[in-house]
């Protein structure tokens, strides 16, 4: 066994006995992940390195031996037989896939590859993820520091059951949906900050980067917003038309004066938390190899890498997390959520006032939760470490109905229509991933982690870093079929506008327009099969 294999564990056995064998094989072996590229054939045909020397397939995978690369390339070839599942397809989160009972806790289980000690760390992180923060001063010394402005009192408040947020129901306050705010650059200093990626957007001068509707006692919230809906009819072959609902947002009752006249607003729902550590473990070369910013292959799809500055190292790196891939790591995403959503300072973003700006002095003057006896920030080490570890190790649930003929037909249509060109089915994670539980895993997230132009219908008109106002990161699809089971709703897309999976598909435009139009033209039974496939993920 090679040194790389020893570090990652036993080689996977790529067996073809079907889904029944998948479960047993994945229990015993560390699995490998499919690395689908923008064009599936690219992974299999890259045979010469940039230096010109014969280097076999996948030359960018410097973590793999030549033998590994050949085997991975083979297993990543595009499927041709849609009469049965791919090997290991059932275990879409690799050997760490959760096989526990499907219920409301389906997104909340630990990666099955964790050691006993890591499971304990996961459970402590879970407690902190659910923790309700209190305003200062408070008798709960380790829990004060909330706000002063905030959107939720806990991580769980937005990511209910570690799942997907939704727009507020009529009469409810928005909790798992909030508004991002920014303005176009106003000065040369602004433009230089954006160019260097010191900033990814220019915050609204008074209300900051996020609209917080809640505040601690004695302080007004930033305001409220209303949502009105515009109906759009979409004809469907062989069926009644679909009626899409386009949300329009109106901010009212501003607590700190007028907003900048050029303020850009973009709604966001909280995304599901499963499998994030595995996405982080994808080799950067696999992401770069999929990018085709100039559409060199002429297929109408031009995925782009989101480049951001890692706040921990200061280096420019690949953004992987967030609706516009604006965070490079789960730790960075976690620190940003502590600061923006809850108003809690952490070692990576220490300001105790969260998103309160210099123009909200009353907010900055409120008591904070920093306590020297506990640490330098409101959420001192190891709080951020533990919540990050928890977020990195939420298991992906196993798929259902992988052998169902209707699901297999839907899978074939998913590939035929070009959905798989952006929602790349699988990857093999890096052997050098930081956590051994994530190393050398065959995973099926159905994303390329790239930015794509999704057309006018989904455009928010608000650039973030390298992402334009029309671009979004390809959302992972694994676990999407359990949304209703876990979260008691079926609202999808960045603002939850889609009321079901078909509506989510019909909102696709831009680079996805051709695939969307094929879905519209399908016979009803084929459309139903495509949805059945998505529901099996």
């Amino acid at each position: 066994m090679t040194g790389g294999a020893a570090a990652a564990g036993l080689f996977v056995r790529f067996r073809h006995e079907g889904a029944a064998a998948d479960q047993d094989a994945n229990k015993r072996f560390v699995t490998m992940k499919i690395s689908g590229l923008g064009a599936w054939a690219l992974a299999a045909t890259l045979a010469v390195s940039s230096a010109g020397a014969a280097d076999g397939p996948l030359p960018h995978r410097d973590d793999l031996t030549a033998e590994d690369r050949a085997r991975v390339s083979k297993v990543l070839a595009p499927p041709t037989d849609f009469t049965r599942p791919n090997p290991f397809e059932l275990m879409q989160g690799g050997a760490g896939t959760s096989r526990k009972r499907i219920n409301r806790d389906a997104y909340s289980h630990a990666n099955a590859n964790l050691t006993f000690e890591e499971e304990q760390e996961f459970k402590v992180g879970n407690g902190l993820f659910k923790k309700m923060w209190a305003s200062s001063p408070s008798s709960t010394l380790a829990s004060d520091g909330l706000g002063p402005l905030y959107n939720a009192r806990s991580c769980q408040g937005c990511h209910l059951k570690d799942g997907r947020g939704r727009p507020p129901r009529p009469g409810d306050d928005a909790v798992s949906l909030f508004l991002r705010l920014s303005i176009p650059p106003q000065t040369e200093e602004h433009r230089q900050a954006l160019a260097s990626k010191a900033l990814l957007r220019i915050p609204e001068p008074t209300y900051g980067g996020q609209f917080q509707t809640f505040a601690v006692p004695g302080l007004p919230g930033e305001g409220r917003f209303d949502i009105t809906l515009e109906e759009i009819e979409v004809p469907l072959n062989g069926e009644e038309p679909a009626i899409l609902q386009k949300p329009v947002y109106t901010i009212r009752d501003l607590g700190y004066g007028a907003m900048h006249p050029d303020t850009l607003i973009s709604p966001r729902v909280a995304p599901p938390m499963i499998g994030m550590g595995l996405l982080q473990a994808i080799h950067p070369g696999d992401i770069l190899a999929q990018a085709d910013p100039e559409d060199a292959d002429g297929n109408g799809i031009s995925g782009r890498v989101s480049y951001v500055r890692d706040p921990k190292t200061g280096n420019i790196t690949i953004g992987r997390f967030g609706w516009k891939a604006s965070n490079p790591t789960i730790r960075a995403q976690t620190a940003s959520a502590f600061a923006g959503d809850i108003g809690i300072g952490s070692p990576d973003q220490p300001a105790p006032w969260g998103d309160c700006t210099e123009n909200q002095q009353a907010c900055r003057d409120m008591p904070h939760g920093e306590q020297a006896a506990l640490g330098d920030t409101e959420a001192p080490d190891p709080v951020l470490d533990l919540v990050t570890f928890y977020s990195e190790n939420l298991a992906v649930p196993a798929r259902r109905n992988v052998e169902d003929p209707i699901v297999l037909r839907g899978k074939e249509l998913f590939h035929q229509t070009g959905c798989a060109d952006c929602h790349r089915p699988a990857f093999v994670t890096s052997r050098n991933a930081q956590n051994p539980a994530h190393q050398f895993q065959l995973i099926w997230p159905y994303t390329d982690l790239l930015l794509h132009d999704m057309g006018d219908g989904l455009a928010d008109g608000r650039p973030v870093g390298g992402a334009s106002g029309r671009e979004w990161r390809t959302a992972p699809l694994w676990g999407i079929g359990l949304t209703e089971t876990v979260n008691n709703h079926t609202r999808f897309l960045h603002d939850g506008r889609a009321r079901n999976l078909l509506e989510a598909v019909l909102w696709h435009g831009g680079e996805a327009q051709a695939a969307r139009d094929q879905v519209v033209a399908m016979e009803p039974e084929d459309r139903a099969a495509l949805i059945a496939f998505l529901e099996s993920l």
Side-chain angles (χ1 to χ4, degrees), residues 209-274:
Q210 190 163 311
F211 192 63
Q212 283 101 3
T213 55
F214 300 107
V216 299
L219 192 72
E222 292 189 319
R224 292 287 184 265
F225 61 87
D226 297 319
I227 307 174
T228 56
L229 301 173
E230 299 177 356
E231 292 192 344
I232 301 172
E233 184 174 296
V234 179
L236 295 173
N237 178 46
E239 293 185 76
E240 292 295 316
I243 306 298
L244 305 184
Q245 293 185 335
K246 179 181 179 179
V248 178
Y249 295 83
T250 304
I251 293 177
R252 61 178 172 86
D253 301 335
L254 289 172
Y256 298 86
M259 280 189 178
H260 192 285
D262 297 329
T263 299
L264 304 171
I265 298 170
S266 184
R268 299 282 197 276
V269 295
M273 303 286 292
I274 57 172

Coordinates of all heavy atoms in Angstrom, one line a residue, residues 209-274:
G209 N -23.9 45.6 6.3 CA -24.0 44.6 5.2 C -25.2 43.7 5.3 O -25.5 42.9 4.5
Q210 N -26.0 43.9 6.4 CA -27.1 43.0 6.7 C -28.2 43.7 7.4 O -27.9 44.5 8.3 CB -26.7 41.8 7.4 CG -27.7 40.6 7.6 CD -27.0 39.3 8.0 OE1 -26.0 38.9 7.4 NE2 -27.6 38.7 9.0
F211 N -29.4 43.5 7.0 CA -30.6 44.2 7.6 C -31.1 43.4 8.8 O -31.6 42.3 8.7 CB -31.7 44.4 6.6 CG -32.8 45.3 7.0 CD1 -32.5 46.7 7.2 CD2 -34.1 44.9 7.1 CE1 -33.5 47.5 7.6 CE2 -35.1 45.7 7.4 CZ -34.8 47.1 7.7
Q212 N -30.9 43.9 10.0 CA -31.3 43.2 11.2 C -32.6 43.8 11.8 O -32.7 45.0 12.1 CB -30.2 43.3 12.3 CG -29.0 42.4 12.1 CD -27.8 43.1 11.5 OE1 -27.8 44.3 11.3 NE2 -26.8 42.4 11.2
T213 N -33.6 42.9 11.8 CA -34.9 43.4 12.2 C -35.1 43.3 13.7 O -36.1 43.9 14.2 CB -36.0 42.5 11.5 OG1 -35.8 41.2 11.8 CG2 -35.9 42.8 10.0
F214 N -34.2 42.7 14.5 CA -34.4 42.6 15.9 C -33.3 43.3 16.6 O -32.2 43.5 16.1 CB -34.4 41.1 16.3 CG -35.4 40.3 15.7 CD1 -35.2 39.3 14.7 CD2 -36.8 40.4 16.2 CE1 -36.2 38.6 14.2 CE2 -37.8 39.6 15.6 CZ -37.5 38.7 14.6
A215 N -33.6 43.7 17.9 CA -32.6 44.4 18.7 C -32.8 44.1 20.1 O -33.9 43.7 20.5 CB -32.7 45.9 18.5
V216 N -31.8 44.3 21.0 CA -31.9 44.0 22.4 C -32.8 45.1 23.0 O -33.0 46.2 22.4 CB -30.5 44.0 23.1 CG1 -29.6 42.9 22.5 CG2 -29.8 45.4 22.9
P217 N -33.3 44.9 24.2 CA -34.1 45.9 24.9 C -33.4 47.3 25.0 O -32.2 47.3 25.3 CB -34.4 45.3 26.3 CG -34.3 43.8 26.1 CD -33.2 43.7 25.0
G218 N -34.1 48.3 24.7 CA -33.6 49.7 24.8 C -33.0 50.2 23.5 O -32.5 51.3 23.4
L219 N -33.1 49.4 22.4 CA -32.6 49.8 21.1 C -33.6 49.4 20.0 O -34.1 48.3 20.1 CB -31.3 49.0 20.9 CG -30.4 49.5 19.7 CD1 -29.7 50.9 20.1 CD2 -29.3 48.5 19.4
P220 N -33.8 50.3 19.1 CA -34.7 49.9 18.0 C -34.0 49.0 17.0 O -32.8 49.0 16.8 CB -35.0 51.3 17.3 CG -33.8 52.1 17.6 CD -33.3 51.7 19.0
G221 N -34.8 48.1 16.4 CA -34.3 47.3 15.3 C -34.1 48.2 14.1 O -34.5 49.3 14.1
E222 N -33.5 47.6 13.1 CA -33.2 48.4 11.9 C -34.5 48.7 11.1 O -34.5 49.6 10.2 CB -32.1 47.8 11.1 CG -30.8 47.8 11.8 CD -29.6 47.3 10.9 OE1 -29.8 46.4 10.1 OE2 -28.6 48.0 11.0
G223 N -35.5 47.9 11.3 CA -36.7 48.1 10.5 C -37.4 46.8 10.2 O -37.1 45.8 10.8
R224 N -38.4 46.9 9.3 CA -39.1 45.7 8.9 C -39.1 45.7 7.3 O -38.8 46.7 6.7 CB -40.6 45.8 9.4 CG -40.7 45.6 10.9 CD -40.4 44.2 11.3 NE -40.6 44.0 12.7 CZ -39.6 44.0 13.6 NH1 -38.4 44.3 13.2 NH2 -39.9 43.7 14.9
F225 N -39.5 44.6 6.8 CA -39.7 44.6 5.3 C -41.0 43.7 5.0 O -41.4 42.8 5.7 CB -38.5 44.0 4.6 CG -38.1 42.6 4.9 CD1 -38.6 41.5 4.3 CD2 -37.1 42.4 5.9 CE1 -38.2 40.3 4.6 CE2 -36.7 41.1 6.2 CZ -37.3 40.0 5.6
D226 N -41.6 44.1 3.9 CA -42.8 43.4 3.4 C -42.4 42.7 2.1 O -41.5 43.1 1.4 CB -43.9 44.4 3.1 CG -44.4 45.1 4.4 OD1 -44.5 44.4 5.5 OD2 -44.7 46.3 4.3
I227 N -43.2 41.6 1.8 CA -43.0 40.8 0.6 C -44.3 40.8 -0.1 O -45.3 40.3 0.4 CB -42.5 39.4 0.9 CG1 -41.2 39.4 1.8 CG2 -42.2 38.7 -0.4 CD1 -40.8 38.0 2.3
T228 N -44.3 41.3 -1.3 CA -45.4 41.1 -2.2 C -45.0 40.1 -3.4 O -43.8 40.0 -3.7 CB -45.9 42.4 -2.8 OG1 -44.8 43.1 -3.5 CG2 -46.4 43.3 -1.7
L229 N -46.0 39.5 -3.9 CA -45.7 38.5 -4.9 C -46.3 38.8 -6.3 O -47.5 39.3 -6.4 CB -46.3 37.1 -4.5 CG -45.8 36.6 -3.1 CD1 -46.5 35.4 -2.7 CD2 -44.3 36.3 -3.2
E230 N -45.5 38.7 -7.3 CA -46.0 38.8 -8.7 C -46.1 37.5 -9.4 O -45.1 36.7 -9.3 CB -45.0 39.7 -9.5 CG -44.9 41.1 -8.9 CD -43.9 42.0 -9.7 OE1 -43.2 41.4 -10.6 OE2 -43.8 43.2 -9.4
E231 N -47.2 37.1 -9.9 CA -47.4 35.8 -10.5 C -46.9 35.8 -12.0 O -47.1 36.7 -12.7 CB -48.8 35.4 -10.4 CG -49.3 35.1 -9.0 CD -50.6 34.4 -8.9 OE1 -51.3 34.4 -9.9 OE2 -50.9 33.8 -7.8
I232 N -46.2 34.7 -12.3 CA -45.7 34.5 -13.7 C -46.2 33.1 -14.2 O -45.9 32.1 -13.5 CB -44.2 34.6 -13.7 CG1 -43.7 35.9 -13.2 CG2 -43.7 34.3 -15.1 CD1 -42.2 36.0 -13.0
E233 N -46.9 33.1 -15.3 CA -47.4 31.8 -15.8 C -46.4 31.2 -16.7 O -45.8 31.9 -17.6 CB -48.7 32.1 -16.5 CG -49.4 30.8 -17.0 CD -50.7 31.0 -17.6 OE1 -51.6 31.5 -16.9 OE2 -50.9 30.8 -18.9
V234 N -46.1 29.9 -16.5 CA -45.2 29.2 -17.4 C -45.9 28.0 -18.0 O -46.3 27.1 -17.3 CB -44.0 28.7 -16.6 CG1 -43.0 27.9 -17.5 CG2 -43.2 29.8 -15.9
P235 N -46.1 28.0 -19.4 CA -46.8 26.9 -20.0 C -46.0 25.6 -19.8 O -44.7 25.6 -19.9 CB -46.9 27.3 -21.5 CG -46.7 28.8 -21.5 CD -45.8 29.0 -20.3
L236 N -46.6 24.5 -19.7 CA -46.0 23.2 -19.6 C -46.6 22.2 -20.6 O -47.8 22.1 -20.7 CB -46.1 22.6 -18.2 CG -45.5 23.3 -17.0 CD1 -45.9 22.7 -15.7 CD2 -43.9 23.3 -17.2
N237 N -45.8 21.5 -21.3 CA -46.3 20.6 -22.3 C -47.1 19.5 -21.6 O -46.7 18.8 -20.7 CB -45.1 19.9 -23.1 CG -45.6 18.9 -24.0 OD1 -46.6 19.1 -24.8 ND2 -45.0 17.7 -24.0
G238 N -48.4 19.3 -22.0 CA -49.2 18.2 -21.6 C -49.9 18.5 -20.2 O -50.5 17.6 -19.7
E239 N -49.6 19.6 -19.6 CA -50.2 19.9 -18.3 C -50.7 21.3 -18.2 O -50.4 22.1 -19.0 CB -49.1 19.7 -17.2 CG -48.7 18.2 -17.0 CD -47.7 18.1 -15.8 OE1 -48.2 18.1 -14.7 OE2 -46.5 18.0 -16.1
E240 N -51.4 21.6 -17.1 CA -51.8 23.0 -16.8 C -50.5 23.8 -16.6 O -49.5 23.3 -16.1 CB -52.6 23.0 -15.5 CG -54.0 22.4 -15.7 CD -54.9 23.1 -16.7 OE1 -54.9 24.4 -16.7 OE2 -55.5 22.5 -17.6
P241 N -50.6 25.1 -16.9 CA -49.4 25.9 -16.7 C -49.0 26.0 -15.2 O -49.8 25.8 -14.3 CB -49.9 27.3 -17.2 CG -51.0 27.1 -18.0 CD -51.7 25.8 -17.5
A242 N -47.7 26.2 -15.0 CA -47.2 26.4 -13.6 C -47.3 27.9 -13.4 O -47.1 28.7 -14.3 CB -45.7 25.9 -13.5
I243 N -47.6 28.3 -12.1 CA -47.7 29.7 -11.7 C -46.5 29.9 -10.8 O -46.5 29.5 -9.6 CB -49.0 30.0 -11.1 CG1 -50.2 29.6 -12.0 CG2 -49.1 31.5 -10.7 CD1 -50.2 30.3 -13.3
L244 N -45.5 30.7 -11.2 CA -44.4 31.0 -10.4 C -44.7 32.3 -9.6 O -45.6 33.1 -10.1 CB -43.1 31.3 -11.2 CG -42.7 30.1 -12.1 CD1 -41.4 30.5 -12.8 CD2 -42.6 28.8 -11.3
Q245 N -44.1 32.5 -8.5 CA -44.3 33.7 -7.7 C -43.0 34.4 -7.5 O -42.1 33.9 -6.8 CB -44.9 33.3 -6.3 CG -46.4 32.8 -6.4 CD -47.0 32.6 -5.0 OE1 -46.3 32.3 -4.0 NE2 -48.3 32.6 -5.0
K246 N -42.9 35.6 -8.0 CA -41.7 36.4 -7.9 C -41.9 37.4 -6.7 O -42.8 38.2 -6.7 CB -41.5 37.3 -9.2 CG -40.3 38.2 -9.1 CD -40.1 39.0 -10.3 CE -38.9 39.9 -10.2 NZ -38.6 40.7 -11.4
P247 N -41.0 37.3 -5.7 CA -41.1 38.2 -4.5 C -40.6 39.5 -4.8 O -39.5 39.7 -5.4 CB -40.3 37.4 -3.4 CG -39.3 36.6 -4.2 CD -40.0 36.3 -5.5
V248 N -41.2 40.5 -4.3 CA -40.7 41.9 -4.3 C -40.7 42.4 -2.9 O -41.6 42.3 -2.1 CB -41.7 42.8 -5.1 CG1 -41.2 44.3 -5.1 CG2 -41.8 42.3 -6.6
Y249 N -39.5 43.0 -2.5 CA -39.3 43.4 -1.1 C -39.3 44.9 -0.9 O -38.8 45.6 -1.7 CB -37.9 42.8 -0.7 CG -37.8 41.3 -0.6 CD1 -37.6 40.6 -1.8 CD2 -38.0 40.6 0.5 CE1 -37.5 39.2 -1.8 CE2 -38.0 39.2 0.5 CZ -37.7 38.6 -0.7 OH -37.7 37.2 -0.7
T250 N -40.0 45.3 0.1 CA -40.2 46.7 0.4 C -39.7 46.9 1.9 O -40.4 46.3 2.8 CB -41.6 47.2 0.2 OG1 -42.0 46.9 -1.1 CG2 -41.7 48.7 0.5
I251 N -38.7 47.7 2.1 CA -38.3 48.0 3.5 C -39.1 49.1 4.1 O -39.4 50.1 3.4 CB -36.8 48.3 3.5 CG1 -36.0 47.1 3.1 CG2 -36.3 48.8 4.9 CD1 -34.5 47.3 3.0
R252 N -39.4 49.0 5.3 CA -40.2 50.1 6.0 C -39.8 50.3 7.4 O -39.0 49.5 8.0 CB -41.7 49.8 5.9 CG -42.1 48.5 6.6 CD -43.6 48.2 6.6 NE -44.0 46.9 7.1 CZ -44.2 46.6 8.4 NH1 -44.0 47.6 9.3 NH2 -44.5 45.4 8.7
D253 N -40.3 51.3 8.1 CA -40.0 51.6 9.5 C -38.6 51.6 9.9 O -38.1 51.0 10.9 CB -40.8 50.5 10.4 CG -42.3 50.5 10.1 OD1 -42.8 51.5 9.7 OD2 -42.9 49.5 10.4
L254 N -37.8 52.3 9.1 CA -36.3 52.3 9.3 C -36.0 53.0 10.7 O -36.6 54.0 11.0 CB -35.6 53.1 8.2 CG -35.6 52.4 6.8 CD1 -35.0 53.3 5.8 CD2 -34.7 51.1 7.0
G255 N -35.2 52.3 11.5 CA -34.9 52.8 12.8 C -33.8 53.8 12.9 O -33.6 54.4 14.0
Y256 N -33.0 54.0 11.8 CA -31.8 54.8 11.9 C -31.7 55.8 10.8 O -30.6 56.1 10.3 CB -30.5 53.9 12.0 CG -30.6 53.0 13.3 CD1 -31.2 51.8 13.3 CD2 -30.0 53.5 14.5 CE1 -31.3 51.0 14.4 CE2 -30.0 52.7 15.6 CZ -30.7 51.5 15.6 OH -30.7 50.7 16.7
G257 N -32.8 56.2 10.2 CA -32.8 57.2 9.2 C -32.8 56.5 7.8 O -32.9 55.3 7.7
A258 N -32.7 57.4 6.8 CA -32.8 56.9 5.4 C -31.6 56.0 5.0 O -30.5 56.2 5.5 CB -33.0 58.1 4.5
M259 N -31.9 55.1 4.1 CA -30.8 54.4 3.5 C -30.2 55.1 2.3 O -30.8 56.1 1.8 CB -31.3 53.0 2.9 CG -31.5 51.9 4.0 SD -31.8 50.3 3.2 CE -31.9 49.3 4.6
H260 N -29.0 54.8 1.9 CA -28.3 55.3 0.8 C -29.2 55.1 -0.5 O -29.8 54.0 -0.6 CB -27.0 54.7 0.5 CG -26.1 55.3 -0.5 ND1 -26.3 55.2 -1.8 CD2 -25.0 56.1 -0.3 CE1 -25.4 55.9 -2.5 NE2 -24.6 56.5 -1.6
P261 N -29.4 56.1 -1.3 CA -30.3 56.0 -2.5 C -30.0 54.9 -3.4 O -30.8 54.4 -4.2 CB -30.3 57.3 -3.1 CG -29.0 58.0 -2.7 CD -28.8 57.4 -1.3
D262 N -28.7 54.4 -3.4 CA -28.3 53.4 -4.4 C -28.1 52.0 -3.7 O -27.5 51.1 -4.2 CB -26.9 53.8 -5.0 CG -27.0 55.0 -5.8 OD1 -28.1 55.3 -6.4 OD2 -26.0 55.8 -5.9
T263 N -28.8 51.8 -2.6 CA -28.7 50.6 -1.8 C -29.2 49.4 -2.7 O -30.2 49.4 -3.3 CB -29.5 50.6 -0.5 OG1 -28.9 51.7 0.3 CG2 -29.4 49.3 0.2
L264 N -28.4 48.4 -2.7 CA -28.7 47.1 -3.3 C -29.1 46.1 -2.3 O -28.5 46.0 -1.2 CB -27.5 46.6 -4.1 CG -26.8 47.5 -5.1 CD1 -25.5 47.0 -5.6 CD2 -27.8 47.8 -6.3
I265 N -30.2 45.4 -2.5 CA -30.8 44.5 -1.6 C -30.9 43.1 -2.2 O -31.3 43.0 -3.3 CB -32.2 45.0 -1.2 CG1 -32.1 46.4 -0.5 CG2 -32.9 44.0 -0.3 CD1 -33.5 47.0 -0.3
S266 N -30.6 42.1 -1.4 CA -30.7 40.7 -1.8 C -31.1 39.8 -0.7 O -30.5 39.8 0.3 CB -29.4 40.2 -2.4 OG -29.5 38.9 -2.9
P267 N -32.3 39.2 -0.8 CA -32.8 38.3 0.2 C -32.0 37.0 0.2 O -31.5 36.5 -0.8 CB -34.2 38.0 -0.1 CG -34.2 38.2 -1.6 CD -33.2 39.3 -2.0
R268 N -31.9 36.4 1.4 CA -31.2 35.1 1.5 C -32.0 34.2 2.6 O -32.4 34.7 3.6 CB -29.8 35.3 2.1 CG -28.9 36.1 1.2 CD -28.3 35.2 0.1 NE -27.2 35.9 -0.5 CZ -27.2 36.8 -1.4 NH1 -28.4 37.3 -1.8 NH2 -26.1 37.3 -1.9
V269 N -32.2 32.9 2.2 CA -32.6 32.0 3.2 C -31.5 31.2 3.7 O -30.5 31.0 2.9 CB -33.8 31.1 2.7 CG1 -35.0 31.8 2.4 CG2 -33.3 30.3 1.5
A270 N -31.5 30.7 4.9 CA -30.4 29.8 5.4 C -30.4 28.5 4.6 O -31.4 27.8 4.5 CB -30.7 29.6 6.9
P271 N -29.2 28.1 4.1 CA -29.1 26.9 3.4 C -28.9 25.7 4.4 O -28.5 25.9 5.5 CB -27.8 27.1 2.6 CG -26.9 28.0 3.5 CD -27.9 28.9 4.2
P272 N -29.1 24.5 3.9 CA -28.9 23.3 4.8 C -27.4 23.1 5.1 O -26.6 23.6 4.3 CB -29.5 22.1 3.9 CG -29.5 22.6 2.5 CD -29.7 24.1 2.6
M273 N -27.1 22.5 6.2 CA -25.8 22.4 6.7 C -25.0 21.1 6.3 O -23.8 21.0 6.6 CB -25.8 22.5 8.2 CG -26.5 23.8 8.7 SD -25.4 25.2 8.5 CE -24.1 24.8 9.7
I274 N -25.7 20.1 5.8 CA -25.1 18.8 5.6 C -24.0 18.8 4.6 O -24.0 19.5 3.7 CB -26.2 17.7 5.2 CG1 -26.9 18.2 3.9 CG2 -27.2 17.5 6.2 CD1 -27.8 17.2 3.2

